[in-house]
Amino acid sequence: MLPTHIQAELKAQETAAQAEAVQVESPAFGLPAIQLSEQPVQLRFAKPSVSGTARPLLRLVNSKDCRRTALIRVFCQDQLVGQLDVQIPAQWASFILDLTKVLGQNADAWPEVLELAIVAQENPVGLVESLQPGPLPRLLVGGGQQFLPTSAWVAVPVEAVSPLQRMLGDFLHSRAATDYLGWMIGCTTTGLSDLYRATGNELYVQALKRMLAGVGEGLPLEGMESRGERAVKEPGYIDLLNQQLESFAPVAALAHLQQTQPTPERARFLRILGQQMIETARTERDFLTSEGCFTLAFPLAATARALDEPDWFDIAWQECARRWGFLWRGEQVIQRAYSDGRVSMVNWARGTAWLALGTAQTALELPANHSGRADLASRLSAVAPLLLQRQQSGGLWSVFTDRPDLPAETSGSAGIAAGLALGAKAGWLGDKALHAAQRCGEALESFIEPDGCLGGVSQHNPASEIALQTHYRIRAAWGAGLYAQLIAALV
């Protein structure tokens, strides 16, 4: 049974912010949003459905990619409540502000309506290379009755649960876990799928189905299967082939659903998606990315397993292996490399995670007697000593793994550790790899935020390498999804 406050959110009793006397925009998916500026925007938030002792939090959700740096300031009755440093936020990125000092933790004494004024201003921080002309951030301010992201006043009951329990039991089931980009969604949906398969807890598969039936790049996937082949011709259908190859990431979880809860309709839909992935794999590009191991090879292998398509296993293996041949260069793991010799994001922790975790997940989908399984296992074994050598004493990896002078990064660390844990449990790696993954899992718990989201995450890479090398970190649902994969691998 879900906690009461999470049930309330699923039923949309957590009322979205309502803008007063300000024009509201409707960007992608018709989600209303409001533009922030130096002029105060008045917002009203209904009291969360909670009683007793609870921690009041203000969650602000960015509407779309914003290549700006800004300072967001929140006022209540003309008093400054707090401020948020926002640097190049991704679409649907969220930020949390604790309102305990203003409201206290006695939920019964909270007002029925919270009135706030929010302003934003430019906040130059030296990231000139990352910036682009455009408006300051916009906030999503309404999600209706559906399971959609929105800015909101939320409440977290004050109870004796660990941060990890908060993440696994609350956050991953809430609308705050919703992301926009396909690779982000794939991190969380795979995390939910892995947790379900590791524990058998039905709450995870329920949350997974809600997410796959929701909105975002490449969604919905669940619920579309009943249309079968007609789906490709119907309005609203998203042809993943026309998106980035990273858009396929959530298909892995859909294939896992088919593996555990098969239906003829979902099988037909997966066959369409499988053909799209094969066409994408065969499309010539002048570059390769490590993401492809996780976002293309892995979902294709999972789909091949769900549909019993042996030829597709070969394509998935080869798609993963050719990235190893192009992107792993001894001491360097490259996130993106071009045929003309250009490279970027060398030894970036999350880029390394895509290679290690994507390879482990892909290999585990291949049949035990498939030659590709042994090949990918050997590649993972070959890079493991380098990963173990670069793990910091605190259990995490630096944002650029060969730069111990830079701060640690949680999402990449979780992905690297999950790859090591899966490899160790499969018998490809030794006890040192498993212990390294366990150390990382323990260290990550201290980065979990009050609502259960993972903090300490480096921004999405369009922010530039310079931005990622700073001490600035964000909270991210996709980070929690990678952490969930690690937890599932350690069960």
Side-chain angles (χ1 to χ4, degrees), residues 52 72 78 132 211 236 258 269 272 288 296 398 404 424 439 478 484 488:
I72 296 178
D78 296 326
Q132 293 180 3
M211 192 168 294
Q258 180 65 8
F269 188 47
I272 297 171
L288 287 177
L296 186 57
S398 171
R439 286 176 53 220
W478 81 76

Side-chain angles (χ1 to χ4, degrees), residues 176-196:
T178 305
D179 269 316
Y180 173 72
L181 290 175
W183 68 263
M184 300 175 177
I185 300 166
C187 290
T188 309
T189 52
T190 299
L192 288 167
S193 176
D194 286 357
L195 286 170
Y196 171 63

Side-chain angles (χ1 to χ4, degrees), residues 6-17 31 59 61 92 94 141-152 154 170-179 210-211 451 475 477:
I6 295 297
Q7 292 184 56
E9 183 168 9
L10 298 182
K11 295 175 182 176
Q13 293 175 2
E14 173 197 279
T15 305
L31 299 175
R59 182 176 72 226
V61 181
W92 297 2
S94 68
V141 292
Q145 296 298 311
Q146 300 182 49
F147 193 69
L148 303 172
T150 184
S151 300
V154 298
D170 291 0
F171 178 79
L172 290 174
H173 306 273
S174 74
R175 66 172 63 186
T178 305
D179 269 316
R210 284 194 300 268
M211 192 168 294
D451 67 334
R475 49 183 270 125

Side-chain angles (χ1 to χ4, degrees), residues 38 68-71 120-124 134 136:
E38 294 187 1
R68 300 289 297 274
T69 57
L71 191 67
Q121 62 189 59
E122 292 187 19
N123 184 34
L136 290 164

Side-chain angles (χ1 to χ4, degrees), residues 129-380:
E129 292 184 17
S130 302
L131 306 185
Q132 293 180 3
L136 290 164
R138 300 170 185 171
L139 300 181
L140 290 180
V141 292
Q145 296 298 311
Q146 300 182 49
F147 193 69
L148 303 172
T150 184
S151 300
W153 174 14
V154 298
V156 175
V158 177
E159 52 191 36
V161 299
S162 70
L164 183 56
Q165 288 175 306
R166 178 75 68 202
M167 186 190 86
L168 298 178
D170 291 0
F171 178 79
L172 290 174
H173 306 273
S174 74
R175 66 172 63 186
T178 305
D179 269 316
Y180 173 72
L181 290 175
W183 68 263
M184 300 175 177
I185 300 166
C187 290
T188 309
T189 52
T190 299
L192 288 167
S193 176
D194 286 357
L195 286 170
Y196 171 63
R197 296 196 297 173
T199 66
N201 188 332
E202 287 289 333
L203 292 179
Y204 292 124
V205 78
Q206 292 171 17
L208 171 62
K209 289 180 177 179
R210 284 194 300 268
M211 192 168 294
L212 291 175
V215 295
E217 184 184 65
L219 297 183
L221 292 178
E222 184 71 0
M224 292 288 288
E225 72 276 5
S226 61
R227 307 180 192 182
E229 295 182 3
R230 291 178 298 159
V232 297
K233 300 178 181 178
E234 292 187 6
Y237 176 77
I238 297 179
D239 184 355
L240 294 186
L241 189 62
N242 293 327
Q243 307 289 329
Q244 303 295 322
L245 64 85
E246 288 86 356
S247 306
F248 289 108
V251 177
L254 187 72
H256 288 163
L257 272 180
Q258 180 65 8
Q259 291 174 22
T260 57
Q261 301 178 8
T263 68
E265 295 79 15
R266 192 184 291 123
R268 286 195 290 269
F269 188 47
L270 278 168
R271 192 165 298 281
I272 297 171
L273 294 168
Q275 294 292 350
Q276 289 188 14
M277 286 186 281
I278 291 170
E279 188 172 344
T280 300
R282 290 173 175 168
T283 300
E284 289 298 323
R285 290 179 171 81
D286 64 351
F287 68 91
L288 287 177
T289 67
S290 59
E291 281 101 327
C293 293
F294 181 80
T295 65
L296 186 57
F298 168 40
L300 180 56
T303 301
R305 188 183 186 95
L307 301 180
D308 191 21
E309 285 285 354
D311 291 345
W312 294 9
F313 286 126
D314 295 339
I315 300 172
W317 160 44
Q318 293 160 5
E319 192 65 20
C320 196
R322 75 184 182 117
R323 281 169 164 74
W324 276 89
F326 199 58
L327 299 171
W328 182 39
R329 306 180 185 179
E331 297 289 303
Q332 294 183 334
V333 176
I334 300 168
Q335 183 263 336
R336 178 184 291 258
Y338 292 82
S339 56
D340 62 8
R342 289 177 295 146
V343 299
S344 64
M345 309 299 289
V346 178
N347 291 323
W348 180 38
R350 201 152 67 237
T352 301
W354 300 138
L355 194 71
L357 176 58
T359 296
Q361 293 277 29
T362 301
L364 289 170
E365 295 294 337
L366 301 179
N369 61 351
H370 194 286
S371 59
R373 187 178 178 114
D375 173 67
L376 295 182
S378 68
R379 295 176 189 273
L380 192 61

